[in-house]
Amino acid sequence: MIALKSKSELESMRQAGRIVALALDAAQAAIRPGVTTGDLDRVVDEAIRGLGASPSFKGLYGFPASACVSVNEEIVHGIPGRRVLREGDIVSVDAGALYKGLHADGAWTYPVGEVALETRRLLEVTETALMRGIAQVRPDGWLLDVTVAIQEYVEGQGMNLVRQYHGHGLGRKLHETPDVLNWVAKGSRPRNVRMKPGMTFTIEPMVIAGGWETYVKPDHWTVVAVDRAWSAHFEHSLAVTESGCEILTQR
Ligand code: MG
């Protein structure tokens, strides 16, 4: 069952989305060489709480922080801590906010100072993949068209998508149906969903500049590329509207 949101639920999600956007802005403003991933988590936590919401991630499935902070070869679900950011790194910050009983969720990958040209390209390809996915969101559209748009674009750029992790419905829970896949196997026929006004979900491509295989570190959370190639992750929360799509986590 996919929960369609009421006007008032959408208004709360809009507020939650604004809070996520502001928290990510605050994290971005704090990013520079010498800062730790734990510092960024504190910035996000303070921003979310300071705006009257609570961090969706803290304690969810046992996650110990308010933001997932993933550096370079770390893809998603990085546990913030003592890792120090250095010039030329990239850092993905993923955060959720719960406001009046409803969640929003967003992520962005930021350069730390000047990054290599191929790293810049990884960020551009991943952000463009997110926007191409979003361009498919409309009432009566098919959710798998989001997947196809992302996959065709990223693979056409010679990069790989992470296969095991994907976008998700959200609302009263952070993770609801439907799944919003970034990748499907050729010839497979995964469940498709027709989009309807009031549906809310994330789109969140994760792109690796190397092979697609991943593993989870012994900390039970941090997902890393097997070949340790760098990766990027861009995510927005969206609502299907009568006329198209609203980005709830727009900066
Ligand atoms: Mg998400």
Side-chain angles (χ1 to χ4, degrees), residues 57 77 94-95 104-107 166-170 174-175 202-204 206 233 235-237:
F57 295 1
H77 304 162
D94 188 350
D105 185 6
H166 45 73
H168 48 92
L170 82 173
L174 185 68
H175 295 123
T202 71
I203 298 178
E204 46 180 313
M206 290 149 248
H233 177 209
E235 175 184 22
H236 273 310
S237 293

Side-chain angles (χ1 to χ4, degrees), residues 61 68 77 116 176 185 204 209 235 250:
Y61 316 121
C68 297
H77 304 162
E176 299 183 349
E204 46 180 313
E235 175 184 22
Q250 186 73 62

Side-chain angles (χ1 to χ4, degrees), residues 20 32 40 44 66 68 84 99-100 107 131 143 184 213-214 218:
V20 167
R32 59 185 167 277
L40 298 185
V44 166
S66 296
C68 297
V84 178
Y99 183 79
K100 292 191 177 166
M131 294 311 166
L143 204 51
V184 292
E213 294 92 342
T214 65

